[in-house]
Amino acid sequence: MSHRRSERQQGRLPTPLLMLLVLVGLIVGLFVLLLFTPAGMVSMALERTGADARLQAPSGRIHRGSGQVVIDNRNWGNVSWRLRPAGLLRGRLDVDFTLDGAGYDAIAGARIGLGRQIVTGIEGQLSESGLRALLAPYDIYPSGDFTLTAGHLEAQRDRLAAVHGDGHWTGGFVRYFLAGQGWTVEFPPLDARLRLVDDQPLLVVLDPAGDELLDVRLDLEGWAHLRLRYRFIEMAGFPWPDGPAPDTILIELSERVF
């Protein structure tokens, strides 16, 4: 009996080796799936989530494809992506993105894992036409270009863990309307700094000397809170005869953004 049992045992693969072969088979199968599944599956997946985002006219494959991004019925341009397969071996999804729209372009890399999502290497540019389209609802029409560098977002579970970004506007003439009257003011180049403060994203706009002009805070309920300092009011062409200290906050506004 022991001789026959040893023969049967010799015909079996050791459990660790069997598990390794199964794992290799799953990885190979996943690679094949990514190589040959059409990009239209991404569009179908977005629709099933119930999100407001859609991918129209998809082309290519899941591992490398493109399409038109539509959010809230607005076309945001063409997005292209490329999957980095090495991330799958570490149990995460690594994807590089590019976005080209009317008046703007951007690149970024995403790293999606269990309980942790990172978008890093965010760089982009808004041309004058892109800036005007963004600010036109507020009756503000700037000139110049805006550049974003060192962008980084990180979420863990259901909270933001990191937010970072640096922006630069080349300056120029700005046409805006206030109380039904039009004004035109020339601004110097300005910088912007985006950071996470008390678990909330905070955008601060700085003058050439590095002093704060205004800041915008986004709270967890989807409200954006804007504060304007006297330094900005003066720069916008409304100096007071006997003005307050430059850092004095004169205007505070709040608006729901999502």
Side-chain angles (χ1 to χ4, degrees):
M1 290 293 292
S2 63
H3 179 68
R4 287 197 298 272
R5 186 180 299 111
S6 63
E7 288 180 344
R8 288 197 300 270
Q9 291 174 346
Q10 290 176 359
R12 295 178 179 176
L13 291 173
T15 300
L17 180 58
L18 180 62
M19 293 178 63
L20 178 60
L21 289 176
V22 170
L23 179 60
V24 170
L26 289 173
I27 293 175
V28 172
L30 182 58
F31 279 132
V32 172
L33 180 67
L34 293 173
L35 285 173
F36 294 101
T37 302
M41 290 297 295
V42 177
S43 179
M44 294 177 60
L46 284 174
E47 292 179 1
R48 291 181 179 179
T49 63
D52 293 329
R54 295 289 185 270
L55 183 68
Q56 295 185 347
S59 63
R61 305 291 180 181
I62 285 185
H63 76 286
R64 185 190 292 267
S66 63
Q68 296 289 318
V69 178
V70 178
I71 303 176
D72 290 334
N73 296 320
R74 177 182 174 183
N75 192 319
W76 287 84
N78 187 71
V79 62
S80 303
W81 68 86
R82 180 178 63 85
L83 181 70
R84 286 178 281 165
L88 298 174
L89 301 177
R90 300 179 177 89
R92 65 175 187 249
L93 189 64
D94 291 352
V95 188
D96 293 325
F97 291 93
T98 62
L99 177 65
D100 293 306
Y104 58 87
D105 60 79
I107 62 172
R111 181 178 300 169
I112 304 172
L114 293 176
R116 188 182 186 190
Q117 299 81 40
I118 299 174
V119 182
T120 191
I122 306 171
E123 296 185 2
Q125 179 170 315
L126 273 168
S127 67
E128 181 175 311
S129 62
L131 277 174
R132 292 193 172 192
L134 179 67
L135 297 176
Y138 305 98
D139 289 329
I140 302 174
Y141 304 92
S143 58
D145 300 324
F146 178 82
T147 303
L148 173 68
T149 58
H152 180 89
L153 301 173
E154 182 175 346
Q156 294 183 3
R157 303 299 180 182
D158 57 350
R159 70 178 186 87
L160 284 173
V163 176
H164 187 281
D166 295 318
H168 178 75
W169 175 55
T170 56
F173 287 97
V174 176
R175 178 71 172 172
Y176 65 95
F177 291 85
L178 184 64
Q181 185 175 353
W183 305 84
T184 301
V185 179
E186 184 177 12
F187 282 86
L190 303 177
D191 292 316
R193 183 179 65 228
L194 178 63
R195 301 291 186 268
L196 190 66
V197 179
D198 296 331
D199 296 326
Q200 297 180 355
L202 179 68
L203 175 69
V204 179
V205 178
L206 310 168
D207 68 8
D211 295 319
E212 296 184 7
L213 296 171
L214 61 90
D215 61 70
V216 182
R217 176 177 57 86
L218 182 64
D219 66 25
L220 301 179
E221 285 72 41
W223 285 82
H225 306 278
L226 169 67
R227 301 191 306 174
L228 298 176
R229 289 168 170 77
Y230 174 69
R231 183 180 291 110
F232 178 80
I233 302 298
E234 187 177 29
M235 183 179 290
F238 291 96
W240 296 5
D242 189 14
D247 281 318
T248 303
I249 296 172
L250 297 182
I251 299 175
E252 294 189 59
L253 301 172
S254 297
E255 179 179 345
R256 181 178 287 277
V257 293
F258 64 86

